[in-house]
Amino acid sequence: MSELTEKIKKIFTDEKLDILIGYEKGSLPLRGTPCFIESAEDADKLIFDSTCHNNLAKYLTDQKKTEVDARKIGIVVKGCDARAVVQLVVEKQFERENIVIIGVPCKGVIDPSKLRAKLRDKEISDFRFDGNKIIVSGENFQETFDKNELLSDGCLSCKYPNAPQYDYFIGDPAEPIASKDEYADIDEFEKKPPDERWEYFEKEYGKCIRCYACRNACPMCYCEQCFVDCSMPQWIGKGGNLSDKMIFHIVRAMHLAGRCVDCGACAAACPLNIDVRLLGKRIEREVAERFDFTAGMDFETPPALATFREDDKQEFIM
Amino acid sequence: MSVYRIKKDDLSLFLEKLREDFAVYAPVESDGITSFAELEPGQEPAFGILKTQKPPKEVFYPQNEIMFRFNEEGMTPELYDGKPIALFGVRPCDAKGFNIIERVFIDPKYEDPYWSARRKGSLVFALACNEPLLSCFCNWFGGGPFDKTGSDVLVIDTGEDYLFEPTNEGAEKLLSNIGGFEKAEKADIEKAGKLRKKAESSMGEPPKLDSVKETLDNSWNSPLWDRISAKCLGCAVCTFSCPTCYCFDIQDETRRDKGTRVRLWDTCQFPLFTKEGSGHNPRKSQTSRLRQRFMHKFSYMVETLNEFGCVGCGRCVTLCPVNLDVRDFLEKIAAEKDK
Ligand code: SF4
Ligand code: SF4
Ligand code: SF4
Ligand code: SF4
Ligand code: SF4
């Protein structure tokens, strides 16, 4: 039994949890998958490692939507997942006391869409971690990747690999990877002329098939009815129009201003490896600079967009 | 039907000749996405790709299809009138998928003109899979890495050559008209046989699925559905990428005084799919929506088409953001019988 399962069993019993949301081994190599534990014995199958890319906080609002009772839910969280849980509490999506936050140290997670892009159609049957390298192999091939090539973009510049708020923490806190400056990509991108930037977004969002996996994987996209799903009135076209696709992505980015925790769950979910992060990251910086606010750090600070200061700089109002 | 042989180096010449009368679609990689697209002159297909991220169904059934245009004066129908389509290098699972999805668009009483305009006169060249992937399970449903169902020609990669095995006279005639082939020799056929054995045995024994439909029909209210669907996000990844999913929506897209009526892919995984005008939604929960997907594929389609609505391509397995594996589901259901 690992330290993780042993401790979680105890927590499950001590806290009288009704359900615990964690990860188990997936059906494909390098894929962890969310799982729901209903009894302490069941905890044996839990894992946590770099294959656990989903943000489980997503399921807390799901559970709440279907349940009116006050079941006690335990959740295993990386740094970003924990921030999503905190932000959801701040946004009053559920009661803090019904959630037991169990932090685990995160060394970064593999983004399946990056893996897919690297491997193309080669399928791996085995993998191992060797320091900063990931060695993957399959029928007739072996390849070594630098871990940074496969980790989610957010992980590479993540400052909070450990839950900033938790009830339990299992293991020794992880060091941030910080192999990259947080806004380096944005700075680079902003140097480009507007046409080129626009072209980039046209190209990326043009590929979108609107499967809405990015939105649905996002813990902060919990609206009972998303604006794209409204039919009376219908806000945007459902067809292949580029402008409709753009509206979805731009509005989603705006709705996540000051709320996105840069967990990368959206990018990892996209079946077509579309860059859904860049725009949100730019807005995150705006919020950080103007409001001195980082989403999901504590339960007290009000959400950035719910504050008002008389001395707000309002230079955008002509 | 005979088997023909062509040197790999001569394939591009064959494709060039095929392009004279057909719009030739093949697997390509463009901007990081693998899909089927019409080959440009001189463009080589990306055969290294076993399964394209986007399914080849979009060639016959585009995600967004204009049905007609309209303005104040009236309507102008729009229908594909390009060259007949030849799909080169689809895999046997996808080729079989065309037969299944087609039963919806063409049945004895009704024929969908949009599907037919592209599909009629088309040719499917399936490329046998020498090395099936971990996520492949075509053999669960009577298919296989060398299966010919749904293809006009099965193409086998034997190393230096391709073997072409036509499944009907029309296809055989076409091959002889285009030319450049030799008759395959005994040694070629034996080689292909070995490749086939190797590929098939690499896939392992499929589970027994005979009881699946009956078990499902008796499990409508089973708590199993809650467990299986708990992690499902309700996105469209599995159904949009599925070669047998056909559901669509119809929308008018207008701009000032003109517009188009478009048919676009829809999915039973979206709440809006079943939302009624009154606001009532008979499939309120994701549990009920996932149940619909699995019931449709493994019970209703067995009833209406007499076969499972899954060809085991594994796209939904690899692309599902939460790794909700349809094989796990089927194994669970198959195991229920023994309880
Ligand atoms: S927008 Fe993406 S990165 Fe931000 S919280 Fe949602 S899933 Fe995570
Ligand atoms: S997951 Fe990708 S394809 Fe799907 S809606 Fe989001 S960006 Fe578009
Ligand atoms: S099974 Fe996977 S791909 Fe399908 S709707 Fe659920 S989360 Fe999306
Ligand atoms: S259900 Fe999944 S494996 Fe089966 S045909 Fe559809 S995409 Fe392929
Ligand atoms: S009802 Fe769902 S599973 Fe069935 S064909 Fe339509 S989208 Fe696919």
Side-chain angles (χ1 to χ4, degrees):
Chain A
M1 209 166 22
S2 69
E3 188 196 359
L4 180 77
T5 54
E6 198 178 323
K7 293 219 163 125
I8 285 185
K9 277 185 184 175
K10 188 163 178 330
I11 296 169
F12 201 102
T13 319
D14 292 353
E15 294 277 354
K16 298 197 179 62
L17 293 183
D18 292 287
I19 202 161
L20 177 123
I21 314 174
Y23 302 95
E24 65 180 319
K25 208 166 161 291
S27 70
L28 296 169
L30 284 180
R31 289 293 295 268
T33 182
C35 75
F36 298 76
I37 301 287
E38 291 169 42
S39 70
E41 301 80 66
D42 229 16
D44 279 329
K45 64 179 177 191
L46 288 173
I47 61 159
F48 180 74
D49 57 28
S50 291
T51 66
C52 303
H53 67 271
N54 296 104
N55 188 333
L56 303 180
K58 193 235 127 61
Y59 296 114
L60 292 177
T61 40
D62 260 17
Q63 292 283 335
K64 195 186 129 280
K65 258 180 227 169
T66 46
E67 300 294 327
V68 276
D69 63 332
R71 292 179 310 160
K72 213 161 181 191
I73 301 178
I75 182 166
V76 177
V77 288
K78 310 186 278 287
C80 51
D81 308 343
R83 288 173 52 211
V85 176
V86 172
Q87 185 66 23
L88 288 167
V89 171
V90 169
E91 294 177 11
K92 302 205 176 354
Q93 291 309 300
F94 38 76
E95 302 296 329
R96 167 72 182 94
E97 57 267 28
N98 293 335
I99 308 293
V100 176
I101 305 174
I102 306 167
V104 285
C106 177
K107 301 199 170 80
V109 292
I110 292 170
D111 178 341
S113 69
K114 281 196 183 180
L115 187 66
R116 197 159 51 228
K118 285 261 184 265
L119 290 174
R120 265 297 140 241
D121 207 31
K122 280 184 271 176
E123 241 176 18
I124 46 179
S125 50
D126 205 8
F127 68 94
R128 67 191 159 85
F129 292 101
D130 182 4
N132 265 337
K133 304 263 178 253
I134 303 175
I135 302 156
V136 302
S137 54
E139 187 100 359
N140 308 328
F141 82 97
Q142 177 170 337
E143 260 178 77
T144 304
F145 295 109
D146 194 72
K147 215 171 158 186
N148 288 348
E149 291 179 88
L150 295 182
L151 294 187
S152 190
D153 282 330
C155 300
L156 296 177
S157 55
C158 171
K159 288 191 278 191
Y160 314 104
N162 309 298
Q165 306 289 334
Y166 55 82
D167 299 300
Y168 299 90
F169 196 90
I170 302 178
D172 301 322
E175 286 297 320
I177 301 177
S179 64
K180 208 168 150 188
D181 173 68
E182 201 175 0
Y183 299 117
D185 292 344
I186 308 278
D187 289 336
E188 209 39 54
F189 190 72
E190 290 196 327
K191 281 188 206 140
K192 295 184 185 177
D195 290 356
E196 252 176 69
R197 278 182 268 157
W198 182 246
E199 219 173 89
Y200 180 78
F201 286 120
E202 272 189 346
K203 174 178 73 82
E204 285 303 303
Y205 298 153
K207 296 186 269 187
C208 177
I209 54 170
R210 282 198 279 170
C211 66
Y212 299 133
C214 51
R215 175 198 67 184
N216 292 10
C218 173
M220 306 316 295
C221 272
Y222 54 73
C223 290
E224 294 220 4
Q225 195 178 34
C226 175
F227 77 100
V228 302
D229 290 333
C230 293
S231 52
M232 281 191 302
Q234 184 172 328
W235 300 111
I236 65 171
K238 291 170 80 184
N241 233 306
L242 180 65
S243 55
D244 289 322
K245 296 179 185 184
M246 288 262 189
I247 289 171
F248 162 56
H249 285 284
I250 293 169
V251 173
R252 193 175 102 83
M254 292 304 287
H255 285 180
L256 285 152
R259 308 174 56 240
C260 169
V261 294
D262 201 14
C263 62
C266 48
C270 179
L272 301 175
N273 320 347
I274 293 168
D275 180 357
V276 288
R277 176 170 182 258
L278 191 66
L279 199 54
K281 196 66 188 168
R282 175 65 184 83
I283 295 174
E284 180 199 289
R285 182 167 76 180
E286 195 75 20
V287 173
E289 284 169 358
R290 287 179 180 258
F291 297 83
D292 189 23
F293 180 79
T294 304
M297 296 306 288
D298 61 66
F299 295 107
E300 292 78 34
T301 316
L305 297 193
T307 59
F308 176 76
R309 287 201 324 258
E310 279 191 0
D311 61 347
D312 269 349
K313 283 191 255 157
Q314 294 181 339
E315 70 271 28
F316 56 89
I317 298 176
M318 299 289 188
Chain B
M1 228 56 55
S2 307
V3 181
Y4 300 86
R5 188 181 68 196
I6 188 170
K7 283 248 160 302
K8 271 196 177 166
D9 289 343
D10 294 338
L11 184 75
S12 36
L13 199 65
F14 169 78
L15 291 176
E16 276 312 305
K17 285 198 180 146
L18 192 63
R19 279 168 42 85
E20 285 169 15
D21 295 316
F22 289 87
V24 179
Y25 284 74
V28 296
E29 183 179 342
S30 155
D31 208 3
I33 296 176
T34 56
S35 65
F36 276 77
E38 188 171 357
L39 287 183
E40 307 283 336
Q43 189 185 4
E44 294 280 328
F47 288 136
I49 302 162
L50 202 144
K51 251 174 312 191
T52 49
Q53 270 154 291
K54 296 176 97 181
K57 74 173 172 189
E58 67 175 350
V59 175
F60 296 132
Y61 173 41
Q63 179 168 13
N64 302 285
E65 175 156 54
I66 296 176
M67 304 169 79
F68 56 80
R69 295 173 190 280
F70 55 85
N71 58 23
E72 282 168 341
E73 263 106 65
M75 304 186 309
T76 331
E78 186 140 315
L79 209 57
Y80 177 79
D81 66 352
K83 286 182 186 172
I85 291 171
L87 270 167
F88 198 96
V90 296
R91 297 295 174 163
C93 53
D94 283 330
K96 184 180 171 194
F98 293 137
N99 282 12
I100 296 179
I101 196 171
E102 178 150 66
R103 305 271 278 277
V104 177
F105 293 112
I106 300 180
D107 80 0
K109 277 187 277 178
Y110 177 79
E111 186 174 317
D112 177 70
Y114 304 96
W115 167 272
S116 289
R118 291 191 167 80
R119 173 71 164 158
K120 283 264 165 80
S122 69
L123 272 181
V124 176
F125 293 79
L127 183 60
C129 308
N130 290 345
E131 288 171 6
L133 303 174
L134 282 177
S135 54
C136 295
F137 58 113
C138 51
N139 62 338
W140 289 28
F141 309 107
F146 279 60
D147 185 52
K148 287 184 270 195
T149 315
S151 53
D152 296 285
V153 180
L154 181 72
V155 180
I156 303 164
D157 177 349
T158 59
E160 266 127 59
D161 305 310
Y162 285 115
L163 300 187
F164 278 53
E165 198 178 335
T167 65
N168 57 59
E169 273 168 27
E172 186 164 35
K173 211 164 139 215
L174 180 102
L175 294 186
S176 84
N177 285 348
I178 291 186
F181 291 93
E182 292 179 68
K183 274 245 161 90
E185 283 159 35
K186 204 165 150 232
D188 297 318
I189 311 272
E190 275 170 17
K191 202 168 182 187
K194 274 197 194 126
L195 287 169
R196 173 182 182 150
K197 271 226 177 71
K198 185 167 166 262
E200 284 174 353
S201 62
S202 78
M203 298 186 81
E205 270 303 301
K208 286 231 172 328
L209 302 177
D210 324 344
S211 60
V212 163
K213 179 176 163 34
E214 201 191 324
T215 310
L216 284 179
D217 290 345
N218 295 325
S219 308
W220 182 260
N221 288 318
S222 164
L224 196 72
W225 293 114
D226 282 323
R227 297 225 162 83
I228 288 166
S229 66
K231 65 179 174 182
C232 176
L233 301 176
C235 63
V237 171
C238 50
T239 45
F240 281 4
S241 62
C242 179
T244 66
C245 275
Y246 49 73
C247 288
F248 57 79
D249 188 8
I250 291 176
Q251 297 257 320
D252 285 349
E253 303 206 320
T254 45
R255 208 186 145 87
R256 296 208 186 86
D257 55 356
K258 58 180 191 220
T260 51
R261 178 158 295 179
V262 281
R263 166 159 95 178
L264 34 105
W265 294 353
D266 201 353
T267 168
C268 59
Q269 298 308 292
F270 288 163
L272 201 55
F273 188 75
T274 40
K275 194 169 170 193
E276 296 165 6
S278 65
H280 172 66
N281 192 343
R283 283 190 212 129
K284 247 188 159 50
S285 63
Q286 189 50 31
T287 301
S288 62
R289 294 189 285 268
L290 190 74
R291 179 175 61 197
Q292 161 62 21
R293 173 176 163 232
F294 286 154
M295 286 299 281
H296 191 197
K297 292 202 174 306
F298 303 111
S299 168
Y300 312 150
M301 275 165 116
V302 178
E303 210 158 295
T304 52
L305 307 180
N306 207 18
E307 72 185 309
F308 287 122
C310 170
V311 292
C313 72
R315 274 193 190 81
C316 61
V317 175
T318 47
L319 295 176
C320 169
V322 295
N323 187 225
L324 199 157
D325 193 325
V326 59
R327 295 172 301 182
D328 291 343
F329 163 77
L330 282 172
E331 274 169 347
K332 274 197 190 97
I333 297 297
E336 284 285 297
K337 188 186 160 212
D338 309 322
K339 280 191 185 156

